[in-house]
Amino acid sequence: MTKQEIREAVLEILKDIAPDEDLSNLNDDVSFREQMELDSMDFLDIVMELRRRYHVDIPEEEYTALASMTSTVEYLAPKMENIEK
């Protein structure tokens, strides 16, 4: 997957987890928690959806890499480069 495809995949997951959130003005460089009303369970749901949909394993100690869209895409890019969209 390209970085753009990864971004779109993460957006899809965010839409599923927080359907009431307006993601059209999402700032990729600001943390998700600052922009959205996500609690720790929502964040865990994001990780679980990445695992379920794309078979990406994210160790708990690396969850901080998923703070913003930019950091999430950068973190996931090498893990998802061989995944077909």
Side-chain angles (χ1 to χ4, degrees):
M1 293 178 84
T2 67
K3 288 183 178 183
Q4 182 59 36
E5 289 170 334
I6 294 169
R7 184 183 187 282
E8 290 168 11
V10 172
L11 279 174
E12 284 179 28
I13 292 171
L14 289 172
K15 287 176 192 172
D16 290 345
I17 290 170
D20 296 333
E21 292 285 343
D22 177 12
L23 301 175
S24 62
N25 294 321
L26 190 70
N27 182 331
D28 287 1
D29 297 320
V30 177
S31 78
F32 293 126
R33 288 192 178 186
E34 285 182 43
Q35 299 181 79
M36 304 170 64
E37 292 189 30
L38 296 178
D39 59 24
S40 56
M41 289 305 295
D42 293 328
F43 188 77
L44 190 57
D45 287 342
I46 294 168
V47 173
M48 294 311 216
E49 280 299 304
L50 285 165
R51 180 176 297 147
R52 186 181 72 75
R53 294 180 189 188
Y54 302 104
H55 308 288
V56 175
D57 189 33
I58 303 168
E60 188 173 346
E61 61 271 9
E62 295 177 8
Y63 286 1
T64 55
L66 308 179
S68 69
M69 183 62 79
T70 299
S71 66
T72 298
V73 170
E74 289 300 318
Y75 174 81
L76 291 174
K79 294 179 175 289
M80 297 176 72
E81 67 185 354
N82 295 323
I83 296 174
E84 301 267 335
K85 182 160 186 206

